[in-house]
Amino acid sequence: MAQAPNVREVDAIVIGAGFSGLHATKRLTDMGLSVRAFDAAEGVGGVWTWNRYPGARTDSLHMTYCYSFDRDLLNEWGYSEVNPRQPEVLAYLRHVADRFDLEQYYTFGTSVTSAVYDEAAGRWVIETDHGETVSATYFVTGLGLVSAPLQPTAPGLEKFRGEVHHTARWPHHEVDFAGKRVAVIGTGSSGVQLVATIADRVGSLTVFQRTANWVAKTPNRPVGAAELDEIRQDYDTIWKRVRHHPAGWPWEMPTRSALETPPDERERVFEQQFEEGGFALLYNAFSDLSTDKAANDLLCDFMRRKIQEMVDDPELAAKLTPTHPYGAKRPPTTDGYYQAFNKPNVGLVDLRETPIEAFTENGIRTSAGEHEFDMIVLATGFDAITGAFTRMQIRGVGGRDLNEYWSDGPKTYLGLAVPGFPNMFTVAGPQTPFSNLPPGAQAQGSWISDAISWMREHDQAAMHPTEAAAEGWTALCNEIAESLPATSVAADANSWFTGANVEGKAVAYNIYFGGHGSHADLCDEEAASEYPSFAKIPALVEQPA
Ligand code: N01
């Protein structure tokens, strides 16, 4: 049922036009619900509309960086590379929106600024930055894990007279690097992809590194028509594997232990999986790399030697080598990052030795002096996972403020719903698994629409998880993260996984590290048992006069 943009009362409000929001919108409208959907961007695409910096591409594998709910959609779409570039992923999402006619539900260029639950009416009332007020029975967010960009904390950026670009707000026009003195602040996935891509285009490049990162090779190469055909024949197996894999990859987990494998053989396997690229090193080499600190140390030792091979200057290689376990920060994937530092025009500033004190008219002043630039690129990441929620005002039953409720870290049940916020559901929200995003977003959006169908069939006006359920889920998230060598805060990686990258933010386990497969199992069990962890608010049944 199409909704003209001026309709103020609908069944469901959706925020987001990325993988999460688009699919939720499709599911809800397929059920016959009226939907108003919003996105701050000017069109569909989510993170892929904003993060269009040179070198931006997914490091998920092409054949699963998509939805699986429609076999025709799968068969008619084929990415041209193993790790598709940003324009191709954006084209895919536009194709999905066109094919299922989803844009009609969206108001673009519009941010939702507040969402307040009207208890008496049993409705969510949202306000936008364009002054519109819309109410709905159901409120579904697909805000994205990494959608609230972080600015550097040092003062004076506004004084800088050159160009400033944030990787997550990259301009739509071509940025000219030729001959320019460019600074890149940040060495996460965005920073390393950008550095590897522009190192040959700039006059000079200075990388400001706060925390070094383990950077994997990319498995990228073109994908041909014959290979795509084979993949299409194999989709049943591929999606079955994705459903059960901890990170939503089309792989089986290995059974051999790194600790129990003889050194020569272990080295051979590490080498092979390093060459394979991307997440193969972490997931396909050995069974215990994520679970056993001593096994993870062996992987770090292997990578340390790799960095020493790739970087000519041993001192520089040491600075580029992380001290945290492999996987404690999400390992970026790109080719040519370490090698870029062998070029005479590329340098590193280690911010642990010489922190940034201020931005100046001409560049950046560290404790060691001023560096002059024509352009500063901020690859400084995000107030991830919770930031997109806490930058809005969201109030539930009794005026409960989500920001206050989450002041020590998020509290949800299954990462899908929050006590005191009836009929608010979150796709890819806090305390969901960190995995290949499209399969997770699809599974969670389906779970949510199924829950809404169930309520409608069972005369339930609303539901929200009990406090006990959310406390139990939070305790489980904490317990799992604590038990793993890379995800425990003891790994001390300044990771956006825990919010440690944001000054003043509560450090908490914001992700369910039990894995995509186990999360899907728990969600299925909850639904099959008719949502026992949720408090239900029955619909008022009209009495005969
Ligand atoms: O952000 P990040 P990102 N002064 O937080 C540094 C996905 N993604 O945009 O580590 C100086 O990883 C910060 O330092 P530290 C992917 O999931 C995927 O790169 O906090 N430095 C860090 O080095 C990824 O994990 C792809 O000490 C400052 C960097 O900036 C997620 O998005 C591509 C600073 C931020 O790294 C986020 O990636 C791109 C300051 N004040 C993104 N503030 C793919 O390849 C921050 N930093 C699929």
Side-chain angles (χ1 to χ4, degrees):
M1 197 185 308
Q3 286 307 308
N6 59 356
V7 172
R8 301 284 153 80
E9 293 199 348
V10 284
D11 295 321
I13 289 163
V14 175
I15 310 181
F19 274 103
S20 302
L22 273 186
H23 174 255
T25 297
K26 175 168 185 339
R27 286 289 296 226
L28 297 173
T29 52
D30 281 353
M31 285 165 57
L33 300 191
S34 56
V35 171
R36 286 285 309 273
F38 297 88
D39 197 293
E42 293 299 335
V44 299
V47 294
W48 297 103
T49 58
W50 299 106
N51 295 268
R52 47 177 74 225
Y53 58 86
R57 61 167 80 236
T58 176
D59 52 12
S60 289
L61 297 172
H62 67 111
M63 78 293 259
T64 59
Y65 204 65
C66 55
Y67 300 115
S68 61
F69 62 78
D70 185 307
R71 193 49 70 99
D72 292 337
L73 175 64
L74 277 174
N75 286 339
E76 74 200 16
W77 185 264
Y79 287 113
S80 67
E81 291 179 281
V82 164
N83 290 155
R85 289 166 207 261
Q86 173 268 336
E88 225 184 350
V89 181
L90 187 56
Y92 171 73
L93 288 166
R94 285 185 177 150
H95 170 71
V96 172
D98 283 351
R99 195 180 188 287
F100 299 109
D101 200 10
L102 298 174
E103 284 198 26
Q104 62 178 312
Y105 306 109
Y106 276 88
T107 305
F108 289 111
T110 302
S111 297
V112 173
T113 51
S114 73
V116 176
Y117 187 64
D118 175 344
E119 262 173 88
R123 292 180 72 77
W124 280 96
V125 181
I126 65 106
E127 284 181 10
T128 74
D129 60 353
H130 283 46
E132 201 186 355
T133 302
V134 181
S135 82
T137 311
Y138 312 106
F139 172 41
V140 179
T141 66
L143 299 179
L145 293 175
V146 284
S147 53
L150 269 187
Q151 296 292 324
T153 40
L157 189 56
E158 70 291 346
K159 292 186 191 146
F160 178 60
R161 286 190 304 215
E163 287 169 71
V164 180
H165 302 296
H166 196 297
T167 48
R169 289 292 178 270
W170 201 258
H172 286 228
H173 63 79
E174 188 84 14
V175 172
D176 182 11
F177 296 100
K180 291 186 180 156
R181 299 163 302 170
V182 178
V184 174
I185 305 177
T187 53
S189 299
S190 308
V192 305
Q193 282 185 331
L194 180 88
V195 164
T197 308
I198 65 170
D200 283 333
R201 301 190 203 164
V202 295
S204 69
L205 181 58
T206 307
V207 179
F208 289 79
Q209 169 190 281
R210 192 164 68 182
T211 310
N213 232 328
W214 300 113
V215 182
K217 272 183 81 140
T218 160
N220 194 41
R221 59 176 171 74
V223 180
E227 186 179 350
L228 273 178
D229 279 347
E230 244 175 69
I231 287 168
R232 286 175 182 139
Q233 303 304 319
D234 207 23
Y235 260 132
D236 286 341
T237 312
I238 288 172
W239 290 112
K240 204 166 150 194
R241 286 186 178 158
V242 166
R243 164 65 178 75
H244 295 286
H245 193 272
W249 293 90
W251 297 332
E252 305 273 10
M253 286 297 284
T255 49
R256 65 195 158 195
S257 143
L259 292 174
E260 286 164 19
T261 302
D264 285 359
E265 173 60 5
R266 190 169 57 222
E267 190 73 3
R268 190 194 65 74
V269 174
F270 275 147
E271 193 67 47
Q272 183 194 36
Q273 298 304 329
F274 175 76
E275 287 303 324
E276 199 60 39
F279 283 83
L281 192 54
L282 188 60
Y283 288 119
N284 281 353
F286 297 102
S287 59
D288 45 0
L289 299 176
S290 298
T291 53
D292 192 303
K293 173 77 169 69
N296 194 290
D297 285 347
L298 292 169
L299 172 54
C300 293
D301 182 53
F302 170 82
M303 278 300 291
R304 195 171 298 119
R305 285 181 278 119
K306 279 284 162 202
I307 296 171
Q308 284 161 3
E309 275 170 31
M310 289 184 277
V311 179
D312 296 341
D313 175 352
E315 234 176 85
L316 196 50
K319 286 183 180 172
L320 288 165
T321 303
T323 52
H324 55 257
Y326 194 98
K329 279 177 119 54
R330 182 247 207 250
T333 293
T334 204
D335 285 339
Y337 174 69
Y338 293 117
Q339 292 87 340
F341 290 94
N342 297 331
K343 295 178 196 291
N345 64 333
V346 178
L348 183 80
V349 173
D350 184 339
L351 296 176
R352 305 274 173 194
E353 288 174 358
T354 55
I356 296 177
E357 290 179 343
F359 295 91
T360 64
E361 282 186 4
N362 298 318
I364 298 174
R365 195 180 71 236
T366 68
S367 58
E370 191 179 32
H371 302 253
E372 293 193 0
F373 298 109
D374 303 305
M375 184 192 300
I376 296 174
V377 177
L378 309 173
T380 40
F382 303 88
D383 180 357
I385 310 176
T386 54
F389 290 87
T390 53
R391 287 181 185 191
M392 261 192 277
Q393 188 194 54
I394 303 182
R395 288 186 185 277
V397 170
R400 174 175 278 185
D401 182 334
L402 191 69
N403 237 327
E404 278 169 26
Y405 187 59
W406 284 359
S407 57
D408 294 333
K411 245 196 278 175
T412 76
Y413 181 58
L414 295 170
L416 295 168
V418 187
F421 297 80
N423 284 353
M424 179 177 99
F425 297 101
T426 58
V427 186
Q431 298 183 331
T432 51
F434 181 60
S435 65
N436 178 26
L437 192 115
Q442 180 180 307
Q444 291 161 38
S446 301
W447 188 95
I448 289 165
S449 57
D450 288 348
I452 291 173
S453 286
W454 181 89
M455 279 192 276
R456 294 169 78 82
E457 283 160 16
H458 291 79
D459 293 327
Q460 302 296 337
M463 65 186 212
H464 56 132
T466 62
E467 292 286 349
E471 268 162 29
W473 184 250
T474 303
L476 181 66
C477 290
N478 294 349
E479 192 188 312
I480 293 172
E482 279 291 332
S483 72
L484 301 174
T487 58
S488 159
V489 287
D492 199 19
N494 221 29
S495 172
W496 62 259
F497 289 165
T498 59
N501 63 323
V502 183
E503 238 176 71
K505 182 170 175 172
V507 171
Y509 294 115
N510 295 321
I511 288 175
Y512 169 71
F513 282 108
H516 167 76
S518 112
H519 182 256
D521 290 342
L522 293 169
C523 291
D524 285 354
E525 276 167 34
E526 179 70 19
S529 323
E530 303 202 311
Y531 312 99
S533 310
F534 283 74
K536 285 110 182 169
I537 303 169
L540 286 178
V541 179
E542 275 188 33
Q543 300 299 323

Coordinates of all heavy atoms in Angstrom, one line a residue, residues 1-3 10-14 21-37 69 97 100-106 138 140 445 449 452-453 456:
M1 N 0.9 -1.2 0.0 CA 0.0 0.0 0.0 C 0.9 1.3 0.0 O 1.6 1.5 1.0 CB -0.8 0.0 1.3 CG -2.0 0.9 1.3 SD -2.9 0.9 2.9 CE -3.1 -0.9 3.2
A2 N 0.9 2.0 -1.1 CA 1.8 3.2 -1.2 C 1.3 4.3 -0.2 O 0.1 4.4 0.0 CB 1.8 3.7 -2.6
Q3 N 2.2 5.0 0.3 CA 1.8 6.1 1.2 C 2.4 7.4 0.6 O 3.6 7.5 0.4 CB 2.5 5.9 2.6 CG 1.8 4.9 3.4 CD 0.3 5.1 3.5 OE1 -0.1 6.2 3.8 NE2 -0.5 4.1 3.2
V10 N 0.4 6.1 10.1 CA 0.6 4.9 9.3 C 0.7 3.7 10.3 O 0.7 3.9 11.5 CB 1.9 5.0 8.5 CG1 1.7 5.9 7.2 CG2 3.1 5.5 9.3
D11 N 0.8 2.6 9.7 CA 1.0 1.4 10.6 C 2.5 1.3 11.1 O 2.7 1.0 12.2 CB 0.7 0.1 9.8 CG -0.7 0.0 9.4 OD1 -1.6 0.4 10.2 OD2 -1.0 -0.5 8.3
A12 N 3.4 1.6 10.2 CA 4.8 1.5 10.6 C 5.7 2.6 10.1 O 5.5 3.1 8.9 CB 5.4 0.1 10.1
I13 N 6.6 3.0 10.9 CA 7.7 4.0 10.5 C 9.0 3.2 10.4 O 9.3 2.4 11.3 CB 7.8 5.1 11.5 CG1 6.6 6.0 11.4 CG2 9.1 5.9 11.3 CD1 6.4 6.9 12.6
V14 N 9.7 3.4 9.4 CA 11.0 2.7 9.2 C 12.1 3.9 9.0 O 11.8 4.8 8.3 CB 11.1 1.8 8.0 CG1 12.5 1.3 7.8 CG2 10.1 0.7 8.1
G21 N 17.1 -1.2 6.4 CA 15.8 -0.5 6.3 C 15.0 -0.9 5.0 O 13.8 -1.0 5.1
L22 N 15.7 -1.1 3.9 CA 15.1 -1.4 2.7 C 14.3 -2.7 2.8 O 13.2 -2.9 2.4 CB 16.1 -1.6 1.5 CG 16.5 -0.3 0.7 CD1 17.3 -0.8 -0.4 CD2 15.3 0.4 0.2
H23 N 15.0 -3.7 3.4 CA 14.4 -5.0 3.5 C 13.2 -5.0 4.5 O 12.2 -5.6 4.2 CB 15.4 -6.1 4.0 CG 14.8 -7.4 4.3 ND1 14.7 -7.8 5.6 CD2 14.3 -8.3 3.5 CE1 14.1 -9.0 5.5 NE2 13.9 -9.4 4.3
A24 N 13.4 -4.2 5.6 CA 12.3 -4.1 6.6 C 11.1 -3.5 5.9 O 9.9 -3.9 6.1 CB 12.7 -3.3 7.8
T25 N 11.3 -2.5 5.1 CA 10.2 -1.8 4.4 C 9.5 -2.7 3.4 O 8.3 -2.8 3.4 CB 10.8 -0.5 3.6 OG1 11.3 0.4 4.6 CG2 9.7 0.1 2.8
K26 N 10.3 -3.5 2.8 CA 9.7 -4.5 1.9 C 8.8 -5.5 2.6 O 7.7 -5.8 2.3 CB 10.8 -5.3 1.1 CG 10.2 -6.4 0.2 CD 11.1 -6.9 -0.8 CE 10.4 -7.9 -1.7 NZ 9.1 -8.5 -1.3
R27 N 9.4 -6.0 3.7 CA 8.6 -7.0 4.5 C 7.3 -6.5 5.0 O 6.3 -7.1 5.0 CB 9.5 -7.6 5.6 CG 10.6 -8.5 5.2 CD 10.1 -9.8 4.8 NE 9.4 -10.6 5.8 CZ 9.5 -11.8 6.1 NH1 10.4 -12.6 5.5 NH2 8.8 -12.4 7.1
L28 N 7.4 -5.3 5.6 CA 6.2 -4.7 6.2 C 5.2 -4.3 5.2 O 4.0 -4.5 5.4 CB 6.6 -3.5 7.0 CG 7.6 -3.8 8.2 CD1 8.0 -2.5 8.9 CD2 6.9 -4.6 9.3
T29 N 5.6 -3.8 4.0 CA 4.6 -3.4 3.0 C 4.0 -4.7 2.4 O 2.9 -4.7 2.0 CB 5.2 -2.5 1.9 OG1 6.4 -3.0 1.4 CG2 5.5 -1.1 2.5
D30 N 4.9 -5.8 2.3 CA 4.3 -7.0 1.7 C 3.2 -7.6 2.6 O 2.3 -8.3 2.2 CB 5.4 -8.1 1.7 CG 6.4 -7.9 0.5 OD1 6.1 -7.1 -0.4 OD2 7.4 -8.7 0.4
M31 N 3.3 -7.2 3.9 CA 2.2 -7.7 4.9 C 1.0 -6.9 4.7 O 0.0 -7.1 5.4 CB 2.7 -7.5 6.3 CG 3.7 -8.5 6.8 SD 4.5 -8.0 8.3 CE 3.1 -7.7 9.4
G32 N 1.0 -5.8 3.9 CA -0.1 -5.0 3.7 C -0.2 -3.8 4.7 O -1.2 -3.0 4.8
L33 N 0.9 -3.6 5.4 CA 1.0 -2.4 6.3 C 1.3 -1.1 5.6 O 2.0 -1.1 4.6 CB 2.1 -2.6 7.4 CG 2.0 -3.8 8.3 CD1 3.0 -3.7 9.5 CD2 0.6 -4.0 8.9
S34 N 0.7 0.0 6.0 CA 1.1 1.3 5.5 C 2.4 1.7 6.2 O 2.5 1.5 7.4 CB 0.0 2.3 5.7 OG -0.3 2.4 7.1
V35 N 3.3 2.2 5.4 CA 4.7 2.5 5.9 C 5.1 3.9 5.5 O 5.0 4.2 4.3 CB 5.7 1.4 5.4 CG1 7.1 1.8 5.8 CG2 5.4 0.0 6.0
R36 N 5.7 4.6 6.4 CA 6.5 5.8 6.0 C 7.9 5.5 6.4 O 8.2 5.1 7.5 CB 6.0 7.1 6.8 CG 4.7 7.7 6.3 CD 4.8 8.5 5.0 NE 5.8 9.5 4.9 CZ 5.7 10.7 5.3 NH1 4.6 11.1 5.9 NH2 6.7 11.6 5.2
A37 N 8.8 5.7 5.5 CA 10.2 5.5 5.7 C 11.0 6.7 5.5 O 10.7 7.5 4.6 CB 10.7 4.3 4.8
F69 N 16.5 -13.5 -0.2 CA 15.1 -13.9 -0.1 C 14.4 -14.1 -1.4 O 13.3 -14.6 -1.4 CB 14.3 -12.8 0.7 CG 14.3 -11.4 0.1 CD1 13.4 -11.1 -1.0 CD2 15.1 -10.4 0.6 CE1 13.4 -9.9 -1.6 CE2 15.1 -9.1 0.0 CZ 14.2 -8.9 -1.1
A97 N 15.7 -1.5 -4.8 CA 14.6 -0.5 -4.5 C 13.7 -0.3 -5.7 O 12.5 -0.3 -5.6 CB 15.2 0.9 -4.1
F100 N 11.5 -3.6 -6.4 CA 10.4 -3.9 -5.5 C 9.6 -2.6 -5.3 O 8.8 -2.5 -4.3 CB 10.8 -4.5 -4.2 CG 11.5 -5.9 -4.5 CD1 12.8 -6.0 -4.3 CD2 10.7 -7.0 -4.9 CE1 13.4 -7.3 -4.5 CE2 11.3 -8.2 -5.1 CZ 12.7 -8.4 -4.9
D101 N 9.9 -1.6 -6.0 CA 9.2 -0.3 -6.0 C 9.2 0.3 -4.5 O 8.1 0.6 -4.0 CB 7.8 -0.5 -6.5 CG 7.2 0.8 -6.9 OD1 7.9 1.8 -7.0 OD2 5.9 0.9 -7.2
L102 N 10.3 0.3 -3.9 CA 10.4 0.7 -2.5 C 10.5 2.2 -2.2 O 10.1 2.7 -1.2 CB 11.5 -0.1 -1.8 CG 11.4 -1.6 -1.8 CD1 12.6 -2.3 -1.2 CD2 10.1 -2.0 -1.0
E103 N 11.0 2.9 -3.2 CA 11.2 4.4 -3.0 C 9.9 5.1 -2.7 O 10.0 6.1 -2.0 CB 11.9 5.0 -4.2 CG 13.4 4.6 -4.2 CD 14.2 5.5 -5.1 OE1 13.8 6.7 -5.3 OE2 15.2 5.1 -5.7
Q104 N 8.8 4.6 -3.2 CA 7.6 5.3 -2.9 C 7.2 5.5 -1.4 O 6.5 6.4 -1.1 CB 6.4 4.5 -3.6 CG 6.2 3.1 -3.0 CD 5.1 2.3 -3.6 OE1 4.0 2.9 -3.7 NE2 5.3 1.1 -4.0
Y105 N 7.8 4.7 -0.6 CA 7.5 4.8 0.8 C 8.4 5.8 1.6 O 8.2 6.1 2.7 CB 7.7 3.4 1.5 CG 6.9 2.3 0.8 CD1 7.5 1.3 0.1 CD2 5.4 2.4 0.9 CE1 6.7 0.4 -0.6 CE2 4.7 1.4 0.2 CZ 5.3 0.4 -0.5 OH 4.6 -0.5 -1.2
Y106 N 9.5 6.2 0.9 CA 10.6 7.0 1.5 C 10.4 8.5 1.4 O 10.0 9.0 0.3 CB 11.9 6.6 0.9 CG 12.5 5.3 1.6 CD1 12.2 4.1 1.1 CD2 13.3 5.4 2.7 CE1 12.6 2.9 1.8 CE2 13.8 4.3 3.4 CZ 13.4 3.0 2.9 OH 13.9 1.9 3.5
Y138 N 4.0 0.7 14.8 CA 5.3 0.0 14.9 C 6.4 1.0 14.4 O 6.2 1.8 13.5 CB 5.3 -1.2 14.0 CG 4.1 -2.1 14.2 CD1 3.1 -2.1 13.2 CD2 4.0 -2.8 15.3 CE1 2.0 -2.9 13.4 CE2 2.8 -3.6 15.5 CZ 1.8 -3.6 14.6 OH 0.7 -4.4 14.7
V140 N 10.5 0.8 13.4 CA 11.5 -0.1 13.1 C 12.8 0.7 12.6 O 12.6 1.6 11.7 CB 11.1 -1.1 11.9 CG1 12.3 -2.0 11.6 CG2 9.9 -1.9 12.4
G445 N 15.3 -8.5 10.0 CA 14.1 -7.8 9.4 C 12.9 -8.8 9.3 O 11.8 -8.5 9.6
S449 N 9.3 -8.6 11.2 CA 8.0 -8.6 10.6 C 7.2 -9.8 11.0 O 5.9 -9.7 11.1 CB 8.2 -8.5 9.0 OG 9.0 -9.5 8.6
I452 N 5.6 -9.0 14.3 CA 4.5 -8.1 14.1 C 3.3 -8.9 13.5 O 2.1 -8.7 14.0 CB 4.9 -6.9 13.1 CG1 5.9 -6.0 13.9 CG2 3.6 -6.1 12.7 CD1 6.5 -4.9 13.0
S453 N 3.5 -9.8 12.6 CA 2.4 -10.6 12.1 C 1.8 -11.4 13.2 O 0.5 -11.5 13.3 CB 2.9 -11.6 11.1 OG 3.2 -11.0 9.9
R456 N -0.5 -9.3 15.4 CA -1.7 -9.0 14.7 C -2.7 -10.2 14.7 O -3.9 -10.1 14.8 CB -1.4 -8.4 13.3 CG -0.7 -7.1 13.4 CD -0.2 -6.6 12.1 NE -1.2 -6.1 11.2 CZ -1.6 -4.8 11.3 NH1 -1.1 -4.0 12.2 NH2 -2.6 -4.4 10.4

